[in-house]
Amino acid sequence: MFSNYLKIAIRTLWKHRTHTLINIIGLSVAFGTCILLFLTATFELSYDTFHADADRIFRLSFLTSNRDGTPEKSAIMPYPISPALKAEFPEIEGVSRFFDRSAPVRRGNQTFSKDVRMADADFLHMFTFPFQKGNPQTAMNSLSDIVISEKMAQDVFGKEDPLGKPLQLRINDGWQAFTVTGVIHNAPKNSTFDFDALIRSDNAPDYQENKTRWDHGNHDVYIKLKAGTDPQTLQRRTQAFMNKYFAQEIKEQKEQGYPKNELGFQKSLLLEPMRDVHFNTETTNGQGISRTYVYTLLLIGLFILAIACINFINLTIAQSLSRAREVGVRKSLGAKRGQLFGQIWGETLMLCLAALLIGLGLAYVCLPTFNRLFRSHLTLVDFLNPNTLLATGLGFLFISLIAGGYPSWFVTRFNAVEVLKGSVKVSRPGILRNSLIVSQFTIACLLIVCTIIVHQQISYLQQKPVGLDKEQVISIPVGGELNGEVALKAMRDRLANQPNITAISGSGVNIGAGLDGSSTRMIFGFLYGKRDITCDWVRIDTDYLKTMGIKLIQGRDFSTKFSTDSSSAVLITQSMAKALGEANPIGKYIKPDNKSFQIVGVVSDFNLYSLHQKAKPIALQMQAKHPIQYILVRVNLQNLMDAMDIIKGTWKTIAPKQEFIGSFLDANTERWYKKEQRLATIFSSAAGIAILLSCMGLFSIALISIQQRTKEIGVRKVLGASIPNIVALLCKDFLKLVIVAIVIASPIAWYAMNKWLADFAYKIDIAWWVFVLAGFLAMGIAVLTVSFQSIKAALMNPVKSLRSE
């Protein structure tokens, strides 16, 4: 019996091979796409779940309010908060600072560029990073201890045992000796912490100077609670702690009229669960990823799968009348409804299984391209994971049941007598079919609108003036091995006579995301009279304005002619002058960092960081204690690549052991929006696949519909209907469905995109024409899809279609 069913299934699928091919292509593309998107989303959602006690680990952040009442969060913590919390709250099991920094590592004559992070001894007990060698209880007891990763041990020591071996790290412009006390396994790819080595946070260059200051912060702090501790109860208890240690700041905020935060206090301490840190885009300096992005991947995967299933259901139901006689004969010969259901559903199962296997093959073949486009880290191991295989198997059965179950039930309910008499009637089959077509095109229109708006926003971000001329400027990371001021002077001396070089300067902050992958920011808050001022505090050098194309509005630029410029002078932006309440601030003094600085110039506002966040007022200074981290070189437009080669060659003479990773600032600023570019690629790809699958389904439905109306078309032609009239008649019904889909999709797309745009401080307004354009695109695609078969049917000789009557 089984072999008989199998033969009939193969014959049936081959008989309707056009529709079988459409279904297999649609389902295989949908399965392949969904597998890749679901694996990516699962990977993102798995961040930091490998820690054994992840549910008891929290990152600290402050919650305050701006003058307008909007909440402001910051995860930058002062040095003394860690020991104070551990001393005053017995329910805290461990506390660790964490500095996201890099440092050159030297062994003998070899120098390595490694990600050396600073943490506290509790870090090794709080987080699950298993030791390969060494004792986690004592590995960071001394200031000179260093714990290295498996990869770093291989790179630096090769096959030698690294335990007890000396290393040197360049910290604070000098080489400092360390001893390897432990080797730990490499951090998993789904870890928020990425490091090659760990040293004690007490080694930070400014630790001794600021270890008792509560008004100076530069690192994250993580805490681990004892088992059974309620984090919400502890968070409420920390308010008294905040009132005690931040009393002066709270008092000043009250005097200046700052509103209370959403918890009802001036300043509060929040406990953010470890598993949420990866999804925090507000306090992670652009390193976090929105959960919305992850859920968007899942939703797009479901959309594409839904479209493929809708195609299958529509085609199967549309073909049901052609199988009615077969079902009637089988019923009259004694076949039970369950047997018929099993046979027809078995055909679906065969088709879905073939589509799944092809889809898995497509996913594997496309894996390298997918990883490159979407910056994912999927491998074959992810496919073969037992959980993945189980989820794929269950998903396959569910889809087979949904896609094949209803059509199988629909076909087997026909009455055998009516079928054999030729009087079978299906009650209003168009309702379900039309609903499914509307659903398909609603999804397609939704993705078209989202694609257009995402591309518009990216284009706006890239083209919006940022207050400086980022074209033709090359940024060179100095690295930790060189002194920034010495390197800058050497570059100036050696490039002084180069006609392709127009200006050279230095800065402590890069513009955009450079190839070194580093991002730094220093923010100072201080009082000016009764005004509370917060500003970015940026180290620059002479000729910075000329190099960056920033306009001087008032006063003068920094100059070597004024000795005080390198110690007690600042340039401020227009927005900072406004915040100070000074129409002419030249000569006035401000006092950030407990030192007086005289304002010598006012420059136009410019953006130091991405347009996701509102630009803060900026103070530019030349204090030697803040190092030059980047050398900036402006070159002539005519010889960009020649200039890059000259600069690269010059840099090699200054730092022969260091890799040159200079980059153009315009390329750096584009990398600010790589997540948005990735989202745009996802939407574009998904919209393309959704439209393709929708059109394939519409084509098949139109083909079956026209076949069932062949005699009607013949009669209309005999009665004088023209070809355009017949084409319009056949297209009209489908066009109505597309218009309904546009009406449904537009408000959904508007709401979703407004939510997405809310993450940007600078954003576009959604224009009405976007929805009109998406509508015309959808209607145009639908008309083209249906017109081919409509014109073909209209051109048929009516004699052929009517001769049987």
Side-chain angles (χ1 to χ4, degrees):
M1 183 64 75
F2 176 77
S3 62
N4 184 45
Y5 280 173
L6 186 62
K7 287 178 185 177
I8 292 171
I10 293 171
R11 286 172 184 168
T12 304
L13 293 174
W14 179 251
K15 180 182 177 182
H16 303 286
R17 48 188 172 273
T18 302
H19 300 131
T20 300
L21 183 64
I22 287 172
N23 276 330
I24 286 180
I25 291 173
L27 285 172
S28 59
V29 169
F31 277 133
T33 305
C34 283
I35 287 166
L36 290 174
L37 292 178
F38 289 174
L39 282 176
T40 303
T42 303
F43 172 78
E44 296 292 347
L45 292 171
S46 71
Y47 255 77
D48 298 317
T49 55
F50 63 90
H51 295 297
D53 300 314
D55 58 328
R56 293 196 280 133
I57 302 173
F58 299 84
R59 188 181 71 146
L60 303 182
S61 61
F62 292 131
L63 175 65
T64 56
S65 283
N66 293 313
R67 284 187 181 276
D68 59 0
T70 56
E72 182 172 353
K73 293 180 182 178
S74 171
I76 300 173
M77 296 288 140
Y79 282 112
I81 198 170
S82 299
L85 280 169
K86 197 168 184 180
E88 298 194 20
F89 294 95
E91 53 265 72
I92 295 179
E93 185 177 305
V95 181
S96 178
R97 307 177 182 106
F98 189 81
F99 294 76
D100 194 7
R101 301 206 180 154
S102 298
V105 177
R106 188 167 72 184
R107 186 190 183 218
N109 295 323
Q110 283 187 298
T111 303
F112 306 86
S113 181
K114 294 294 179 183
D115 294 327
V116 181
R117 313 305 192 197
M118 297 183 187
D120 294 325
D122 279 354
F123 183 91
L124 302 176
H125 318 140
M126 292 166 58
F127 299 99
T128 307
F129 294 110
F131 265 66
Q132 199 178 61
K133 295 178 181 179
N135 183 355
Q137 303 300 323
T138 59
M140 289 179 68
N141 282 356
S142 170
L143 276 177
S144 60
D145 289 344
I146 181 170
V147 176
I148 64 176
S149 69
E150 192 178 354
K151 181 179 180 298
M152 180 168 165
Q154 180 65 37
D155 292 345
V156 178
F157 295 98
K159 295 182 179 180
E160 288 184 58
D161 183 357
L163 278 188
K165 297 286 194 311
L167 284 176
Q168 288 184 308
L169 270 63
R170 189 172 178 84
I171 299 174
N172 202 20
D173 289 335
W175 290 99
Q176 191 171 324
F178 286 84
T179 303
V180 178
T181 54
V183 178
I184 56 178
H185 288 286
N186 298 326
K189 291 177 182 175
N190 58 344
S191 171
T192 294
F193 302 116
D194 183 22
F195 54 85
D196 292 315
L198 295 169
I199 60 174
R200 286 268 297 268
S201 61
D202 313 40
N203 286 294
D206 63 344
Y207 177 75
Q208 293 301 326
E209 179 186 352
N210 298 306
K211 66 180 181 181
T212 59
R213 286 182 59 182
W214 289 85
D215 61 344
H216 174 86
N218 59 0
H219 60 275
D220 292 339
V221 171
Y222 292 84
I223 64 171
K224 180 179 178 181
L225 306 184
K226 290 181 179 177
T229 303
D230 178 30
Q232 293 302 318
T233 302
L234 177 63
Q235 182 173 295
R236 287 192 291 272
R237 288 186 57 218
T238 60
Q239 193 56 54
F241 174 89
M242 294 295 292
N243 295 339
K244 174 182 176 182
Y245 289 104
F246 294 91
Q248 183 61 32
E249 182 183 343
I250 291 171
K251 179 184 176 185
E252 290 171 357
Q253 286 187 344
K254 284 181 179 178
E255 290 174 352
Q256 294 164 38
Y258 274 77
K260 293 180 178 179
N261 61 35
E262 57 196 43
L263 298 178
F265 303 98
Q266 293 297 140
K267 187 167 188 169
S268 301
L269 192 65
L270 302 181
L271 274 60
E272 180 182 22
M274 183 67 208
R275 291 186 179 124
D276 292 345
V277 174
H278 177 63
F279 304 103
N280 187 321
T281 57
E282 188 177 358
T283 60
T284 53
N285 295 322
Q287 300 302 310
I289 183 171
S290 172
R291 266 201 173 91
T292 304
Y293 168 76
V294 180
Y295 295 143
T296 299
L297 293 182
L298 292 171
L299 203 58
I300 287 173
L302 288 173
F303 280 166
I304 290 171
L305 199 57
I307 288 173
C309 290
I310 287 169
N311 278 351
F312 189 92
I313 293 169
N314 266 341
L315 284 175
T316 308
I317 291 175
Q319 288 177 293
S320 62
L321 291 177
S322 65
R323 300 198 68 175
R325 193 172 297 277
E326 175 197 340
V327 171
V329 170
R330 287 181 175 278
K331 278 191 173 183
S332 66
L333 293 175
K336 297 185 182 301
R337 191 170 178 179
Q339 291 175 312
L340 291 169
F341 179 91
Q343 179 200 334
I344 296 170
W345 185 68
E347 292 173 12
T348 301
L349 204 62
M350 278 181 60
L351 195 145
C352 287
L353 182 60
L356 176 63
L357 294 175
I358 295 171
L360 285 168
L362 285 173
Y364 179 71
V365 169
C366 296
L367 191 59
T369 305
F370 181 86
N371 282 337
R372 187 177 68 255
L373 285 176
F374 303 122
R375 295 175 180 85
S376 296
H377 307 280
L378 302 181
T379 62
L380 183 61
V381 176
D382 297 307
F383 284 85
L384 301 177
N385 183 291
N387 293 331
T388 302
L389 293 174
L390 178 63
T392 303
L394 292 175
F396 164 73
L397 290 174
F398 178 74
I399 296 301
S400 301
L401 191 62
I402 294 295
Y406 177 76
S408 300
W409 170 82
F410 183 84
V411 173
T412 57
R413 71 177 185 163
F414 291 144
N415 184 284
V417 176
E418 289 182 355
V419 167
L420 295 175
K421 286 169 63 177
S423 58
V424 63
K425 290 182 180 179
V426 181
S427 59
R428 304 192 68 187
I431 294 177
L432 178 64
R433 185 201 72 178
N434 292 348
S435 300
L436 293 175
I437 291 174
V438 167
S439 300
Q440 276 185 318
F441 274 89
T442 297
I443 293 170
C445 291
L446 182 65
L447 292 173
I448 290 171
V449 171
C450 292
T451 300
I452 294 171
I453 292 174
V454 169
H455 278 288
Q456 278 186 313
Q457 176 65 9
I458 292 171
S459 178
Y460 171 78
L461 293 174
Q462 291 174 339
Q463 295 174 13
K464 185 183 185 301
V466 292
L468 49 83
D469 183 6
K470 59 182 184 290
E471 307 291 332
Q472 305 153 234
V473 179
I474 297 171
S475 168
I476 309 162
V478 173
E481 206 173 333
L482 299 173
N483 179 288
E485 288 193 61
V486 174
L488 176 59
K489 184 178 185 306
M491 287 290 282
R492 279 175 168 154
D493 291 343
R494 298 183 193 196
L495 296 173
N497 298 320
Q498 288 292 335
N500 290 337
I501 310 300
T502 59
I504 303 175
S505 188
S507 173
V509 176
N510 202 3
I511 303 292
L515 297 179
D516 60 335
S518 295
S519 177
T520 57
R521 187 168 198 174
M522 185 177 291
I523 297 173
F524 275 116
F526 60 94
L527 284 175
Y528 182 78
K530 291 188 176 181
R531 292 174 180 264
D532 185 44
I533 309 297
T534 303
C535 68
D536 278 300
W537 190 251
V538 182
R539 165 72 156 101
I540 65 167
D541 207 86
T542 53
D543 288 336
Y544 183 79
L545 302 187
K546 180 182 177 182
T547 306
M548 301 302 295
I550 299 170
K551 293 180 181 178
L552 181 67
I553 307 298
Q554 289 177 277
R556 63 173 179 84
D557 193 0
F558 287 139
S559 171
T560 53
K561 296 177 181 177
F562 298 89
S563 59
T564 55
D565 280 4
S566 61
S567 58
S568 58
V570 291
L571 300 173
I572 64 171
T573 55
Q574 287 175 294
S575 57
M576 184 158 175
K578 185 178 179 181
L580 295 174
E582 299 284 357
N584 182 16
I586 306 301
K588 300 293 193 297
Y589 286 85
I590 59 175
K591 199 174 182 181
D593 201 19
N594 296 321
K595 182 182 176 182
S596 290
F597 292 84
Q598 186 180 36
I599 300 169
V600 298
V602 179
V603 302
S604 59
D605 285 326
F606 62 96
N607 287 82
L608 268 177
Y609 301 96
S610 80
L611 301 183
H612 284 93
Q613 48 197 312
K614 201 80 174 172
K616 289 185 180 291
I618 300 169
L620 307 172
Q621 45 80 25
M622 288 177 51
Q623 277 187 293
K625 73 173 185 177
H626 299 298
I628 295 287
Q629 304 279 15
Y630 299 90
I631 294 172
L632 305 166
V633 184
R634 175 167 290 280
V635 300
N636 282 328
L637 179 62
Q638 292 78 12
N639 301 294
L640 290 180
M641 297 319 296
D642 288 346
M644 176 65 93
D645 290 339
I646 291 168
I647 292 167
K648 187 174 182 179
T650 306
W651 183 254
K652 283 295 181 185
T653 64
I654 296 170
K657 295 181 180 179
Q658 192 167 311
E659 182 187 2
F660 178 81
I661 48 174
S663 55
F664 285 97
L665 285 192
D666 53 351
N668 288 357
T669 54
E670 284 185 15
R671 280 190 285 270
W672 267 337
Y673 311 112
K674 61 184 179 182
K675 283 190 288 190
E676 286 69 34
Q677 291 281 12
R678 183 168 48 179
L679 189 63
T681 306
I682 289 172
F683 273 127
S684 302
S685 305
I689 293 171
I691 291 167
L692 176 65
L693 295 181
S694 298
C695 289
M696 287 170 65
L698 192 62
F699 178 85
S700 300
I701 293 297
L703 178 61
I704 293 170
S705 177
I706 289 167
Q707 285 173 350
Q708 292 170 353
R709 298 178 70 177
T710 301
K711 288 185 174 60
E712 177 194 341
I713 293 167
V715 171
R716 287 181 180 276
K717 286 197 74 175
V718 169
L719 294 175
S722 65
I723 291 174
N725 286 339
I726 291 173
V727 172
L729 175 72
L730 295 172
C731 291
K732 182 180 67 176
D733 292 339
F734 294 107
L735 210 54
K736 286 178 182 176
L737 300 179
V738 175
I739 291 171
V740 171
I742 294 164
V743 171
I744 295 171
S746 294
I748 298 172
W750 180 86
Y751 175 79
M753 286 293 96
N754 260 324
K755 282 283 188 183
W756 178 70
L757 288 170
D759 286 340
F760 296 89
Y762 305 91
K763 57 194 173 187
I764 61 167
D765 293 319
I766 299 176
W768 60 269
W769 60 262
V770 171
F771 304 98
V772 175
L773 176 61
F776 276 116
L777 278 173
M779 287 191 292
I781 291 166
V783 168
L784 285 173
T785 303
V786 177
S787 292
F788 176 77
Q789 287 298 329
S790 300
I791 294 170
K792 188 178 175 182
L795 290 172
M796 283 179 61
N797 189 340
V799 174
K800 289 183 178 179
S801 59
L802 297 174
R803 65 184 172 187
S804 61
E805 295 296 324

